[in-house]
Amino acid sequence: MKTKCLIVGSGPAGYTAAIYTSRANLSPILYEGMQPGGQLTTTTEVENFPGYPEGITGPELMEDLRKQALRFGTDIRTGLIVKADFSKRPFVLTADSGDIIEAETVIISTGATARYLGLPDEEKFKGLGVSACATCDGFFYRGKTVAVVGGGDTACEEALYLSNLAKKVYMIVRKDYLRASKVMQERVLKKENITVLFNCNTAALFGSDVLEGAKIVEHKGTAKEQIFDISIDGFFLAIGHTPNTAVFEGQIKLDKEGFIVTKGDTTETNIPGVFAAGDVADPRYRQAISAAGTGCRAALDAERFLNEN
């Protein structure tokens, strides 16, 4: 099976790349991956994607993008790419169905997976108080009490962002210090409505229909150990994301966290003809709209590459 462009992964980046490459007559094939539609399919309400003044649910938004890609002729397939050989062109990729695809260009948009603590209650309250994106969901907690898990720069940024919306913000930090840069630490510690709970771990979350609180263990496993509850409406995880790049390791240049490194202002990777779009190459912004933008750019980069080669 041969194609001018294979898109690996869906979500806003993959579907946007598909819309652009289809309209450029590249007849792309898109493999949707393990979570068709990406992370947004686990988000109930999306209010910050332009063009939806009343807001839209994550699954509906992804379905709209998917339909648009299909309308222009994208060959959308269910399944995963499990093997990739980028040593020569055309590139050879293998799907979990056993299908082998020869592609002139490849756009990787496999996304990143938010890290969770692994508590059973996290799944239960996902979208009902538990979130891994303060910028996406913070607005729903105006005037409420929330907690942020983590002690790095991202956690401090999220806590500061939430402190401008929420009545009170707890930071739950495992160690007795913040790992964040000095500037971020100072900002957090100065903010009146942020309380940092040092030496603390989350043992459980509770609530009837929606999240109502968290059980906290302080000085876990020591003589000073004590357990207490905090009342919260929102629980935000800021302990990092894992980019879905395992299948490309050893061929594509990755940063120390595993995100794909792109060249300058382009979506080009270290391999000519292979491009990266969305959260898989973006440890910083991680927004649907910025992912869609890079999907567009990857499609234009792929089209230009084919014209020149």
Side-chain angles (χ1 to χ4, degrees), residues 39 111-115 132-133 135 153-155 157-158 238-245 253-262 276-287 290-291 294:
Q39 287 186 86
T113 308
R115 291 188 199 127
C133 180
T135 323
D153 276 321
T154 304
E157 271 176 37
E158 304 237 317
I239 51 175
H241 282 70
T242 305
N244 303 319
T245 49
K253 187 180 178 187
L254 308 174
D255 71 8
K256 64 181 194 306
E257 299 284 317
F259 289 90
I260 296 175
V261 175
T262 52
D279 287 12
V280 75
D282 175 19
R284 184 168 185 167
Y285 298 105
R286 298 195 308 269
Q287 297 298 301
S290 52
T294 55

Side-chain angles (χ1 to χ4, degrees), residues 285-306:
Y285 298 105
R286 298 195 308 269
Q287 297 298 301
I289 189 67
S290 52
T294 55
C296 157
R297 287 164 54 201
L300 296 174
D301 286 344
E303 187 188 357
R304 188 173 292 125
F305 176 86
L306 288 167

Side-chain angles (χ1 to χ4, degrees), residues 155-164 184 187-188 191 194:
C156 287
E157 271 176 37
E158 304 237 317
L160 286 162
Y161 175 80
L162 289 163
S163 72
N164 295 323
M184 292 306 280
R187 282 183 198 158
V188 161
K191 199 79 196 246
I194 298 179

Side-chain angles (χ1 to χ4, degrees), residues 30-300:
L30 180 148
Y31 271 85
E32 289 187 294
M34 57 187 171
Q35 192 177 26
Q39 287 186 86
L40 265 196
T41 54
T42 64
T43 306
T44 44
E45 200 67 33
V46 179
E47 292 191 330
N48 55 2
F49 198 92
Y52 294 94
E54 302 303 318
I56 187 168
T57 70
E60 283 177 311
L61 175 57
M62 287 305 97
E63 190 52 35
D64 280 353
L65 290 181
R66 189 178 191 275
K67 282 180 190 159
Q68 202 169 348
L70 285 169
R71 180 186 156 208
F72 295 115
T74 304
D75 179 353
I76 296 181
R77 301 181 180 191
T78 304
L80 289 167
I81 293 296
V82 292
K83 197 173 163 200
D85 180 1
F86 294 141
S87 60
K88 59 186 188 301
R89 275 187 63 228
F91 307 116
V92 179
L93 295 96
T94 310
D96 54 359
S97 59
D99 287 346
I100 291 171
I101 305 101
E102 290 185 21
E104 293 296 323
T105 60
V106 173
I107 294 172
I108 301 170
S109 56
T110 46
T113 308
R115 291 188 199 127
Y116 285 82
L117 295 173
L119 304 171
D121 317 310
E122 281 174 318
E123 276 301 317
K124 181 181 168 186
F125 294 116
K126 219 182 247 186
L128 299 167
V130 171
S131 169
C133 180
T135 323
C136 316
D137 300 328
F139 188 74
F140 303 114
Y141 297 91
R142 283 169 302 167
K144 296 186 174 181
T145 301
V146 299
V148 175
V149 181
D153 276 321
T154 304
C156 287
E157 271 176 37
E158 304 237 317
L160 286 162
Y161 175 80
L162 289 163
S163 72
N164 295 323
L165 296 163
K167 178 176 67 184
K168 183 173 182 60
V169 179
Y170 289 104
M171 276 189 81
I172 303 166
V173 183
R174 274 186 315 159
K175 301 198 162 84
D176 59 357
Y177 59 91
L178 291 168
R179 285 184 297 109
S181 59
K182 275 278 177 281
V183 177
M184 292 306 280
Q185 289 184 42
E186 282 167 16
R187 282 183 198 158
V188 161
L189 298 170
K190 267 187 197 160
K191 199 79 196 246
E192 284 177 10
N193 63 338
I194 298 179
T195 299
V196 185
L197 303 174
F198 289 111
N199 299 305
C200 284
N201 286 280
T202 310
L205 301 171
F206 57 86
S208 42
D209 297 326
V210 295
L211 179 70
E212 290 166 23
K215 193 168 285 302
I216 306 295
V217 184
E218 190 178 8
H219 297 293
K220 188 178 180 182
T222 71
K224 292 196 285 184
E225 181 177 306
Q226 58 172 333
I227 297 169
F228 59 93
D229 291 348
I230 54 171
S231 293
I232 50 170
D233 306 289
F235 185 79
F236 290 85
L237 291 128
I239 51 175
H241 282 70
T242 305
N244 303 319
T245 49
V247 72
F248 310 113
E249 265 174 34
Q251 302 186 78
I252 294 280
K253 187 180 178 187
L254 308 174
D255 71 8
K256 64 181 194 306
E257 299 284 317
F259 289 90
I260 296 175
V261 175
T262 52
K263 292 184 182 176
D265 292 333
T266 73
T267 62
E268 295 168 19
T269 67
N270 60 307
I271 296 169
V274 180
F275 307 90
D279 287 12
V280 75
D282 175 19
R284 184 168 185 167
Y285 298 105
R286 298 195 308 269
Q287 297 298 301
I289 189 67
S290 52
T294 55
C296 157
R297 287 164 54 201
L300 296 174

